[in-house]
């Protein structure tokens, strides 16, 4: 075969190999490039294509974990490469050096390569070199230089129509935004790149999943990050992406550590370290060792003196590798280990030599600094300094949270402050001051609900996905009622929910919101009006109650938290079992007896011990954890007693102030009543409720659509919805109220321009919430409270339609007679009525 024909065939193999490399398929690329090499070696005139094939093959082999082979291939290419191809060789060697952790050498190679490249002759190679050099700058902490390279990369790529490289530059700019703490912008960039990669290069989705998971860990959504990482590991294994595989393992360790699973975190970190060492990347292996060390420290069973020694050695190694922030993290781990090992003075010396957190440090580093400083100060008797450090850490967390505009991220962020909050509460309990316990309890719970509400910006993509989800759920509901299979819908349902959730993540937050300061106890008692506040706090496994009345503030030890929560689960299960079921008399009697027994057990554990302090006062309860889902009117001490439930004292006070602020008389009197389909007594209930309120807007039948209901509810003084409801545990903002033509969801509530003052949900389960770290509650009641509603009445278990109608009619009669919502509900559930409804918010 003549040289020209050989060159054409070899060039075609080279183009195929490049495309496979760009698509993230190095195994396939290696096969294609070796086929081209076999042709190029057959004639000395093919020296140029021979060199280019070797350069590209070096990258493919290094991606498969054969890094040393990659360097040998580049050495072989150097003897063949023509001067115009030299910058491409330099860029490829730089990339292998960077992947091997030899960043200083890589940077010199990149600088030389980029100086020789022109966007007029080699635009694709220039954008690759700029993109990759930005990562070296990033690992060196030079964010400004990294961003400059990526912006130039994106500009050149856009000018030459290199769509894939535009998406890659956008992805890496998103990585910079993660470091800067601007997670909404980062997640928006990743979502756009995801759409591009699915069309242009599906093989790059594994790498994108790792970066998105890193952002989700920074947001505190570690479960969602784990799902991304499981997919990334599977894809990287299939595609032989050794670096991406190792990277995914390391982020998996980070997610497990945040989830409070240190044993799993240590296991993932060890595997990541081995994978990076297999690629001769000692820098990344050292970072994996740091996660392994932190996981071992968190396990608690590892000797802390040993942890301190390991941390000291690792800090030196990280510093020598040019990773100063990570070296400081290892130093902080060492200081904490020394405190735990009984060497506080040595720990104090180390902390004294540490510089404070830097503005460019990761959130995790800044919070660890405050935590370590507090532990060291407390260990040497400087309690005031320890308290200031903990408060500074919580303030830093709040500033981080305030950058988010959606409740999903705002509530998830609380997990980053878990250790700070526990330490602050433990110190307050040890101090023995009820006032200190109150202040720390408030700082450690439901902070997201104290942020200014953010109405999501108009987003046609999210709106279209939400409407399609509504219609698809309606079809699923119809299929369920008709006894038809629904499995075929599940994939599309999950995809739409993912789109809606990811678009919501991109909503920017208020940003400049100051950390909330707990209201003084004097302000709380001034608002009580004869009631008593009971705040439940958990330290370890012990549940306590902080009781505030107009006479005194006291802390009462209640008992084991897990036992109390199990009693609440049993009680809710009892109520679910009875709702709307026709049972034989003997079985019904057994279930009623079990309900009374479980209600007595809940009362004896969480309320009876505080009764001597509260007497017969109305109650404002601030539960912790699963206690937030307690059907309080089932508890004997709460029968006929007005009970208000709030996620925090601050949320209760804010809701009370919204009521006191008032609205124009016309708005305050406006009442909207909505009846959803499929409830035998739903329309009758709605008409009965509407008849009690002069001028009420009544939506029933085909007129009761989600859009019509939202429009009528906006600005109303009272909104009542009688519909089938379903709490979604996986993501409570997808909880539903079934209306005509489709459900109204938690995400819809955020679109309300002016939330109703009071909302009554005559539905099953919609008083339930997903309680995250920091007692951050996410569900339909808290979505309404966050939107500006003062009071929400909803059920925490199933309720039969007939019982719901009777309770709601009695409730509204009491409201019309002038009773506040909590008192009206207490009157409505007297006698044999199911005690499933709870009054949330202002009461």
């Amino acid at each position: 075969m003549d040289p020209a024909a050989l060159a054409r065939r070899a060039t075609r193999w080279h183009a195929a190999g490049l495309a496979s490399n760009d698509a993230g398929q190095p195994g396939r690329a290696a096969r294609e490039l070796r086929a081209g090499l076999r042709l190029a070696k057959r004639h000395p005139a093919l020296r140029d294509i021979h060199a280019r094939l070797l350069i590209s093959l070096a990258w493919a082999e290094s991606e498969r974990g054969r890094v040393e082979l990659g360097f040998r291939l580049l050495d072989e290419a150097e003897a063949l490469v023509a001067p115009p191809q030299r910058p491409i060789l330099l860029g490829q060697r730089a990339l292998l050096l960077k992947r091997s952790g030899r960043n200083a050498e890589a940077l010199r190679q990149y600088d030389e390569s980029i100086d020789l490249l022109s966007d007029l002759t080699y635009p694709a190679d220039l954008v690759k070199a700029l993109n990759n050099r930005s990562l070296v700058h990033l690992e060196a902490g030079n964010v400004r230089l990294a961003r400059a390279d990526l912006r130039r990369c994106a500009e050149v790529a856009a000018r030459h129509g290199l769509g894939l490289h535009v998406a890659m530059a956008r992805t890496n700019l998103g990585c910079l935004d993660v470091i800067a703490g601007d997670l909404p912008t980062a997640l928006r960039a990743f979502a756009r790149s995801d759409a591009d990669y699915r069309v242009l290069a599906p093989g790059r989705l594994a790498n994108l999943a790792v970066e998105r998971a890193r952002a989700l860990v920074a947001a505190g959504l570690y479960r969602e990050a784990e799902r991304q990482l499981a997919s990334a590991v599977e894809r990287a294994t299939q595609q032989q992406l050794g670096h991406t595989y190792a990277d995914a393992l390391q982020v998996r360790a980070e997610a497990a550590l945040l989830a409070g699973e240190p044993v799993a975190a240590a296991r993932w970190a060890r595997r990541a370290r081995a994978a990076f060492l297999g690629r001769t990347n000692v820098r990344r292996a050292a970072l994996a060792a740091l996660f392994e060390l932190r996981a071992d420290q968190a396990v608690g069973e590892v000797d802390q003196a040993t942890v301190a020694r390991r941390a000291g050695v690792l800090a030196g190694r990280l510093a020598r590798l040019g990773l100063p922030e990570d070296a400081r993290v290892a130093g902080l781990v060492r200081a904490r280990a020394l405190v735990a090992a009984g060497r506080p003075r040595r720990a104090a010396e180390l902390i004294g030599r540490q510089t404070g957190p830097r503005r460019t440090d990761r959130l995790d580093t800044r919070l660890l600094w405050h935590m370590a400083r507090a532990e060291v100060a407390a260990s040497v008797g400087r309690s005031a300094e320890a308290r200031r450090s903990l408060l500074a850490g919580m303030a830093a967390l709040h500033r981080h949270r305030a950058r988010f505009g959606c409740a999903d991220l705002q509530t998830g962020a609380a997990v980053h402050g878990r250790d700070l909050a526990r330490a602050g509460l433990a110190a307050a309990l040890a101090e023995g001051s009820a006032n200190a316990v109150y202040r720390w309890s408030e700082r450690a719970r439901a902070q997201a609900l104290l942020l200014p509400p953010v109405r999501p910006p108009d987003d046609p993509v999210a709106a279209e996905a939400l409407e399609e989800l509504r219609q698809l759920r309606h079809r699923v509901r119809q299929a369920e009622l008709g006894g038809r299979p629904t499995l075929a819908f599940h994939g599309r349902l999950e995809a739409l929910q993912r789109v809606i959730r990811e678009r919501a993540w991109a909503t920017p937050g208020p940003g400049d919101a100051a950390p909330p300061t707990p209201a003084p106890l004097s302000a709380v008692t001034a608002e009580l009006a004869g009631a008593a506040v009971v705040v439940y706090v958990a330290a370890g496994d012990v549940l306590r109650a902080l009781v505030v009345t107009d006479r005194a503030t006291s802390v009462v030890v209640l008992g084991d938290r897990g036992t109390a929560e199990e009693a609440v689960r049993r009680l809710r299960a009892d109520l679910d079992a009875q709702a709307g079921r026709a049972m034989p008399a003997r079985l019904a009697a057994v279930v009623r007896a079990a309900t009374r027994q479980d209600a007595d057990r809940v009362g004896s554990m969480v309320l009876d011990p505080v009764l001597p302090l509260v007497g017969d006062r109305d109650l404002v309860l601030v539960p912790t954890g699963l206690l937030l889902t307690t059907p309080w009117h089932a508890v004997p001490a709460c029968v006929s007693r007005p009970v208000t439930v709030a996620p925090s004292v601050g949320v209760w006070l804010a809701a009370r102030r919204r009521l006191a602020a008032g609205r124009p008389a016309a708005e305050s009197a406006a009442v909207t009543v909505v009846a959803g389909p499929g409830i035998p007594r739903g329309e009758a209930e709605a008409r009965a409720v509407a008849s009690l309120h002069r001028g009420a807007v009544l939506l029933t039948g085909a007129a009761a659509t989600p859009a019509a209901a939202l429009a009528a509810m906006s600005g109303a003084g009272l909104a009542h919805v009688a519909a089938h409801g379903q709490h979604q545990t996986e993501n409570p903002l997808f909880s539903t109220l079934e209306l005509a033509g489709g459900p109204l969801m938690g995400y819809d509530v955020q679109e309300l321009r002016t939330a109703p003052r009071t909302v009554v949900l005559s539905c099953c389960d919609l008083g339930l919430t997903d309680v995250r770290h920091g007692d951050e509650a996410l569900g339909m009641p808290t979505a309404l409270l966050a939107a500006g509603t003062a009071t929400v009445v909803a059920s925490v278990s199933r309720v039969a339609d007939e019982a719901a109608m009777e309770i709601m009619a009695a409730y509204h009669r009491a409201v019309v007679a002038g009773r506040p919502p909590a008192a009206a509900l207490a009157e409505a559930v007297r006698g044999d009525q199911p005690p499933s409804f709870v009054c949330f918010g202002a009461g």
Side-chain angles (χ1 to χ4, degrees), residues 198 408 459-476 488-505 731 733-734 743 745 747:
R198 289 183 186 278
D408 205 1
D459 184 345
V461 174
E464 183 179 342
L466 192 61
E467 191 54 40
E468 184 183 347
L469 177 64
R470 197 186 321 281
Q471 298 307 318
L472 192 56
R473 279 195 165 177
H474 181 62
R475 290 172 60 191
V476 169
F489 297 110
H490 290 181
R492 184 57 182 163
L493 283 170
E494 290 178 5
L496 289 169
Q497 289 188 174
R498 185 171 60 249
V499 169
I500 294 162
R501 198 176 185 192
E502 289 177 359
R503 304 293 290 197
W505 289 342
N731 186 350
L733 292 178
F734 287 116
M745 289 170 272
Y747 278 105

Side-chain angles (χ1 to χ4, degrees), residues 27-259:
R28 179 176 177 178
R31 292 192 296 273
E32 292 164 339
L33 293 166
R34 289 191 180 280
L37 272 176
R38 286 192 291 271
L39 296 170
K41 289 178 178 179
R42 289 167 60 178
H43 201 286
L46 304 183
R47 180 187 184 100
D48 183 60
I49 185 62
H50 188 173
R52 284 186 282 144
L53 284 159
L54 287 169
I55 293 169
S56 300
L57 180 60
W59 167 246
E61 293 293 6
S62 70
E63 277 294 270
R64 299 171 71 193
R66 304 165 75 177
V67 181
E68 290 306 319
L69 174 58
F71 281 118
R72 291 198 299 272
L73 290 167
L74 290 178
D75 291 341
E76 185 181 343
E78 191 157 19
L80 300 169
V81 71
Q85 295 291 319
R86 179 167 173 74
I88 299 171
L89 172 69
L90 291 169
Q92 202 73 293
R93 181 176 284 125
L95 188 52
L96 266 64
L97 288 166
K98 191 266 177 190
R99 286 290 176 90
S100 301
R102 295 155 65 182
N103 283 20
E105 297 173 70
L107 187 59
R108 288 193 292 271
Q109 298 273 311
Y110 276 132
D111 289 345
E112 187 178 350
S113 173
I114 289 169
D115 286 344
L116 294 171
L117 286 168
S118 165
D119 68 317
L120 297 178
T121 52
Y122 295 106
D125 294 301
L126 177 60
V127 298
K128 288 178 183 178
L130 287 167
N131 186 52
N132 292 326
R133 186 173 71 174
S134 75
L135 301 178
V136 180
H137 285 317
L138 180 58
E139 289 193 10
N142 295 321
V143 177
R144 181 182 59 82
L145 294 177
R147 196 175 291 277
D149 270 354
L150 287 171
R151 285 174 175 164
R152 184 184 171 196
C153 170
E155 289 168 4
V156 174
R159 190 159 59 245
H160 290 274
L162 303 172
L164 175 58
H165 294 288
V166 172
M168 291 166 62
R170 185 194 306 122
T171 299
N172 287 333
L173 282 166
C175 296
L176 295 185
D177 291 325
V178 172
I179 292 170
D182 188 359
L183 302 184
T185 298
L187 290 165
R188 184 164 55 246
F190 294 153
R192 289 182 63 193
S193 294
D194 183 275
D196 288 341
Y197 287 166
R198 289 183 186 278
V199 175
L200 299 172
R204 291 195 171 273
L205 289 170
N207 175 263
L208 181 63
V210 173
E211 298 306 334
R212 182 179 275 164
R214 211 185 304 272
L216 291 172
V217 169
L221 300 183
Y222 49 83
R223 297 298 180 205
E224 290 74 7
E226 174 58 31
R227 283 191 279 270
Q228 293 279 334
L229 292 165
S231 169
V233 167
E234 182 179 355
R235 286 175 180 269
T237 302
Q238 292 172 351
Q239 297 169 222
Q240 302 179 41
L241 298 173
H243 185 84
T244 301
Y245 173 79
D247 218 11
L249 294 178
Q250 183 171 309
V251 182
R252 214 165 190 178
E254 190 176 356
L257 192 59
L258 193 64

Side-chain angles (χ1 to χ4, degrees), residues 325-668:
E325 182 180 348
D326 300 288
R328 284 186 284 119
V329 168
L332 295 171
V333 172
R334 184 184 180 194
R336 297 186 72 190
L338 287 168
V339 170
R343 299 181 61 193
R345 295 196 179 281
R346 178 60 179 143
E349 290 173 12
L350 285 175
I351 285 290
R353 293 202 300 265
Q354 281 261 28
T355 57
R358 301 174 185 178
R359 186 177 57 84
T360 56
D361 281 351
R362 301 181 297 266
L363 174 73
D364 179 61
T365 303
R366 286 178 277 140
L367 298 187
L368 182 62
W369 157 259
H370 292 299
M371 188 70 217
R373 189 165 178 262
E375 287 181 342
V376 170
S379 70
V380 294
R382 299 198 297 264
S383 57
E385 181 183 331
R387 185 166 54 251
R388 287 194 298 271
S389 292
L390 294 173
L391 290 174
M394 296 298 285
L397 174 60
H398 187 79
R399 288 191 294 272
H400 174 76
R401 189 204 313 268
R403 303 186 75 168
F404 309 148
C406 78
D408 205 1
L409 294 187
Q410 290 171 348
T411 56
V415 67
H416 289 291
R418 175 180 55 205
D419 290 345
L420 292 164
R422 286 174 179 169
L425 185 57
L429 288 166
E431 182 184 336
S433 163
N435 193 28
V437 172
Y438 160 72
R439 290 197 304 271
W440 264 104
S441 169
E442 282 296 287
R443 290 187 182 103
R445 72 169 77 220
Q447 296 292 287
L449 283 170
L450 299 177
L451 286 168
V454 176
R455 190 172 183 272
D458 292 336
D459 184 345
V461 174
E464 183 179 342
L466 192 61
E467 191 54 40
E468 184 183 347
L469 177 64
R470 197 186 321 281
Q471 298 307 318
L472 192 56
R473 279 195 165 177
H474 181 62
R475 290 172 60 191
V476 169
R477 178 65 176 163
Q478 296 305 308
E480 289 172 343
L481 293 174
R484 301 187 298 277
T486 62
L487 188 61
F489 297 110
H490 290 181
R492 184 57 182 163
L493 283 170
E494 290 178 5
L496 289 169
Q497 289 188 174
R498 185 171 60 249
V499 169
I500 294 162
R501 198 176 185 192
E502 289 177 359
R503 304 293 290 197
W505 289 342
T507 304
D512 57 352
T517 301
L521 278 172
S522 58
V524 179
T525 55
E527 192 66 45
L528 285 177
V533 172
V534 181
V535 181
Y536 292 92
V537 294
D541 295 328
V542 180
L543 185 67
R544 293 174 173 84
L546 173 73
V547 183
V548 182
T549 69
D550 53 2
R551 293 184 177 179
T553 302
S554 310
V555 177
V556 179
V557 177
L558 300 177
D560 182 71
R561 174 184 181 174
T563 306
E565 291 188 337
E566 180 57 31
V568 170
R569 288 191 192 93
R570 292 172 62 91
L571 177 56
R572 286 211 333 263
D574 294 337
L575 295 175
D576 284 344
Q578 295 177 68
R581 292 183 59 187
M583 292 182 285
R586 181 176 295 179
L587 178 59
V590 170
V591 173
R592 284 195 299 272
T595 304
R596 286 194 298 271
Q597 184 177 15
D598 288 328
D600 288 343
R601 184 178 293 111
V602 172
S604 67
M605 298 185 72
V606 302
L607 205 52
D608 289 357
V610 306
L611 289 180
L613 298 173
V614 303
D616 60 357
R617 292 175 173 88
D618 295 354
L619 292 177
V620 177
L621 303 179
V622 180
T624 184
L626 195 72
L627 297 186
L628 194 60
T629 65
T630 304
W632 291 100
H633 285 295
V635 176
C638 293
V639 173
S640 301
R641 186 196 299 253
V643 177
T644 301
V645 175
S648 74
V649 174
V651 171
W652 174 69
L653 285 172
R656 299 282 293 180
R657 287 165 188 154
R658 285 199 290 273
L659 282 181
R663 287 184 185 170
E667 285 189 13
S668 297

Side-chain angles (χ1 to χ4, degrees), residues 674-694:
V674 182
I679 301 180
R681 294 181 176 269
E683 186 167 337
E685 176 185 323
R687 293 188 180 281
V689 169
S691 70
L692 295 170
H693 298 276
R694 182 178 300 176

Side-chain angles (χ1 to χ4, degrees), residues 737-759:
L737 289 161
E738 294 296 334
L739 299 181
L744 186 150
M745 289 170 272
Y747 278 105
D748 291 309
V749 168
Q750 299 172 96
E751 299 294 332
L752 285 167
R753 291 193 177 275
T754 306
R757 287 163 64 89
T758 301
V759 175

